[in-house]
């Protein structure tokens, strides 16, 4: 059997199932609700809405050829 190591990265498929007890579910639910009711979460939600506005402006600007893609700089070859 594999040994869990918190220092390693793990993956699973969208079809995998995890089972929670009522206590575990309540802990997660209450933690999320507590964060979402915080002032920090309200600021984050405003920032997400502002980002949506900026992204829409960027899309319109690129499509109208007002905003141009920056060319990647050509790396210089160093001769030693």
């Amino acid at each position: 059997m594999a040994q869990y190591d918190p220092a390693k990265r793990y993956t699973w498929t969208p079809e995998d199932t995890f089972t929670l007890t009522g206590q575990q579910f309540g802990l997660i639910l209450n933690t999320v609700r507590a964060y979402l009711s915080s002032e920090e979460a309200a600021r984050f939600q405003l920032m997400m809405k502002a980002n949506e506005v900026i992204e829409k402006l960027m899309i319109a600007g690129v499509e109208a050829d007002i905003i141009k893609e920056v060319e990647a700089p050509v790396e210089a070859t160093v001769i030693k």
Side-chain angles (χ1 to χ4, degrees):
M1 172 153 71
Q3 186 80 17
Y4 174 69
D5 180 352
K8 293 182 179 178
R9 296 185 67 195
Y10 295 92
T11 187
W12 50 87
T13 69
E15 295 80 26
D16 289 332
T17 301
F18 298 90
T19 304
L20 300 173
T21 65
Q23 182 181 17
Q24 292 167 326
F25 181 79
L27 174 65
I28 294 169
L29 178 64
N30 291 333
T31 301
V32 170
R33 284 182 172 169
Y35 176 75
L36 290 176
S37 66
S38 72
E39 191 176 320
E40 180 183 354
R43 281 194 300 269
F44 180 78
Q45 289 174 349
L46 284 174
M47 290 180 64
M48 291 299 295
K49 288 179 182 180
N51 186 62
E52 286 178 29
V53 170
I54 291 170
E55 289 295 326
K56 287 178 184 177
L57 290 169
M58 292 291 294
I59 290 168
V62 169
E63 290 175 351
D65 207 27
I66 296 169
I67 299 172
K68 314 277 191 223
E69 183 178 358
V70 175
E71 299 287 330
V74 177
E75 292 188 31
T77 303
V78 177
I79 301 173
K80 293 182 181 182

